[in-house]
Amino acid sequence: MSESIRLTLSVQVAGGPKLVAAKTLAVEAYEKITLDVPNDSTDVQVELQPGGVGVVKLIMITSDAYGDDLTYSPDGGTTTIGLDQPHLFMGAGGVGVLG
């Protein structure tokens, strides 16, 4: 059974242009992962889609608090990305940058 994810993104510059993107993604399944990261934690691992590369179509990473001390590594520690704002990766190109 196919599922669908509807995405609407709106960005407006104060006194400037407004950009809007809308997309519906057909997916076989979806998974929502909620993770509590303790303040004293230095390393928490999450397995996102076990199995085939190229299966994931969308990853959105959000937090209740953002900052320089909150980071994630999509490749086991070689690359570290600061979570200073919500991060959204879509499609093979977007998700592909995570390795």
Side-chain angles (χ1 to χ4, degrees), residues 17-33:
K18 180 177 181 179
L19 304 171
V20 178
K23 180 81 176 169
T24 300
L25 299 174
V27 297
E28 292 297 319
Y30 66 90
E31 181 174 14
K32 176 185 175 187
I33 299 172

Side-chain angles (χ1 to χ4, degrees), residues 59-62 66 72 81-89:
I59 295 175
M60 184 169 182
I61 304 171
T62 63
Y66 297 94
Y72 62 95
I81 302 170
L83 190 61
D84 56 346
Q85 295 293 325
H87 290 182
L88 176 64
F89 303 92

Side-chain angles (χ1 to χ4, degrees), residues 32-57:
K32 176 185 175 187
I33 299 172
T34 301
L35 178 67
D36 291 322
V37 179
N39 287 337
D40 61 350
S41 176
T42 58
D43 190 16
V44 176
Q45 293 186 8
V46 176
E47 186 172 348
L48 295 180
Q49 172 68 35
V53 174
V55 175
V56 177
K57 294 185 177 186

Side-chain angles (χ1 to χ4, degrees), residues 57-71:
K57 294 185 177 186
L58 182 141
I59 295 175
M60 184 169 182
I61 304 171
T62 63
S63 177
D64 292 336
Y66 297 94
D68 296 335
D69 294 337
L70 183 58
T71 63

